[in-house]
Structure formats: C-alpha cells, structure tokens
C-alpha cells in the first residue's frame, strides 16, 4: 500500500547509544517531517525538509540530526540517546511545503531509552 | 510563534451522544486540518478546510473554518465505540515558514 513507512516499529536503547530511525514515502511528496509525541504534549516538530536537499530545525531539535537522503527517504539520528528522548516518533510527508493538502503519517517508532 | 489551543483536552461520553471540540489560534490560518489518531497508529486526515466559513462533512463528522480564520470546530454526531482516539487540529498559512502547527489533541472515550 502507498504511504509512509517507518522502521523500526519498536526500539529499546541504553543511555548513550546511537541509532537511526528510517522513513520512506512512495507518494512523490516533496516535504517530509519528523515529530515526537509525548503524553499530553501533542505532536512536536523535530526537523523538517521542505524539499529534497534542504533540512531545517523544528521546535525541539536538540539531540537529533536528520538526513534527506533522496526525495523518498528522510532519516532521524540520535547520536547519544538520553532517557528524555523516550517517545513515539512519527514521520510525515506532504506534496507541497504549505501543507495545504494534508500530511500523511507513518505508524510510528516507539523508542524507550533506559 | 504560532500557538494552537485545542479543547477540551479529553471527553468521556456515552455511545450515541454528539461531540464538539474546537481549536483557536493566535494567528490567521489559510488551511485547517483535522486528524484522528487510533491507539497505536499514526494520525489520519479526516477533513481539510480552505475558506473562512467553510463547512465540510465526512460521514458523521462535520468541521467548520471559523469566519475570523483563527478558529475551527469539529463535531461528531451519534458517536460509536470506534470513534475512540485522539483528534488533532492543525493549521497552516501559506505566507509563513511552512511549519504546520498542531493542537495538543482531544482524547475521546466512548462508553458503550
């Protein structure tokens, strides 16, 4: 099925470990986003890529890096995981940077840092 | 930056009741979007609104783009157990930085 695919779905890390969350979309969307969702906090934007070749910080970028590998793929890297990064991470994409036509979300990566 | 206030934060209702929730913004938006997130899944787009005053339905769901362009409303009629989930509003303005702004969500629980 067309959409946004995130891997892995679940991950447990020890404090200080690193990992990369993968995201790929097959809808030929131009813009891609990484969000984290914590109870009662809604969706907070970590980084986004308005178009291939560009990336920008969102609301909560500290502790994260991103790579827009090509038009389809946008990865999120945690260099040294901390317990405060325990969260559910969502990747999303949309056809135009304005978001006028809505965002398609992946099913999420549930990350626990111990 | 832009802020969205979504209310209520949570609702506990009986099956068959109608539901109303809303979002208000400190800024004018050109687009309002409403999403539903089922437990353990990502949000899914329900309704998109593009003009002030616009009223759009999707089955038992109806959403409105406020005439001030700073608010939006979502109503669910005759709720059923599968309506359970978190409902998010989101707004964007084409003249801005293209960062979508999401509300914190309304958690809906429907008792059979």
């Amino acid at each position: 099925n067309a959409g946004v695919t995130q891997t892995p779905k679940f991950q447990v890390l020890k404090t200080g470990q690193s990992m990369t969350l993968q995201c790929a979309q097959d809808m030929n969307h131009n813009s891609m986003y990484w969000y984290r969702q914590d109870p009662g906090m809604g969706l907070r934007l970590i980084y986004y890529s308005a178009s291939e070749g560009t990336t920008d910080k969102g609301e909560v970028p500290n502790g994260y890096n991103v790579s827009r590998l090509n038009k389809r793929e946008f990865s999120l890297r945690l260099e040294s995981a901390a317990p405060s990064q325990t969260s559910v991470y969502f990747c999303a994409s949309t056809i135009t940077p304005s978001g006028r036509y809505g965002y398609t979300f992946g099913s999420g990566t549930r990350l626990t840092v111990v | 930056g832009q802020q969205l206030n979504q209310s209520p934060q949570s609702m506990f209702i009986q099956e068959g009741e109608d539901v109303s929730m809303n979002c208000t913004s400190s800024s004018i938006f050109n687009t309002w979007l409403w999403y539903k997130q089922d437990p353990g899944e990502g949000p899914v787009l329900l309704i998109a609104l593009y003009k002030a005053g616009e009223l759009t339905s999707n089955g038992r769901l109806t959403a409105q783009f406020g005439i001030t362009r700073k608010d939006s409303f979502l109503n669910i009629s005759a709720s059923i157990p599968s309506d359970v989930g978190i409902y998010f509003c989101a707004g964007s303005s084409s003249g801005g930085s293209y960062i979508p702004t999401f509300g914190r969500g309304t958690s809906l629980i429907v008792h059979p």
Side-chain angles (χ1 to χ4, degrees), chain B residues 4-107:
Chain B
L4 273 185
N5 294 314
Q6 186 171 353
S7 64
Q9 185 175 355
S10 60
M11 302 182 74
F12 300 83
I13 63 170
Q14 292 292 129
E15 183 177 359
E17 290 184 4
D18 297 341
V19 172
S20 293
M21 60 189 79
N22 68 84
C23 279
T24 58
S25 168
S26 58
S27 304
I28 290 175
F29 285 140
N30 295 327
T31 302
W32 281 99
L33 306 168
W34 284 93
Y35 286 84
K36 182 193 177 192
Q37 183 179 26
D38 289 328
E41 298 293 330
V44 174
L45 182 65
L46 297 173
I47 293 176
L49 303 161
Y50 301 113
K51 294 189 331 182
E54 179 180 356
L55 192 69
T56 298
S57 293
N58 179 2
R60 293 176 295 103
L61 279 64
T62 301
Q64 184 165 22
F65 194 137
I67 58 174
T68 66
R69 296 172 63 192
K70 291 185 176 182
D71 54 9
S72 182
F73 309 88
L74 176 69
N75 295 316
I76 305 173
S77 62
S79 59
I80 59 178
S82 62
D83 290 333
V84 165
I86 303 176
Y87 292 80
F88 290 100
C89 62
S92 64
S93 51
S94 59
S97 61
Y98 299 144
I99 298 177
T101 304
F102 280 83
R104 294 191 173 189
T106 294
S107 177

Side-chain angles (χ1 to χ4, degrees), chain A residues 36-53:
Chain A
R36 62 178 288 174
Q37 183 177 30
D38 302 293
M41 299 297 291
L43 293 161
R44 293 186 292 171
L45 183 65
I46 305 171
Y47 271 93
Y48 68 102
S49 172
S51 60
E52 185 179 359

Side-chain angles (χ1 to χ4, degrees), chain A residues 59-85:
Chain A
E59 179 185 358
V60 289
N62 290 344
Y64 306 95
N65 285 300
V66 290
S67 296
R68 184 75 183 265
L69 303 171
N70 47 56
K71 191 171 185 178
R72 292 186 62 248
E73 299 173 286
F74 188 39
S75 63
L76 177 72
R77 183 161 178 83
L78 286 70
E79 290 291 351
S80 179
S84 61
Q85 293 178 306

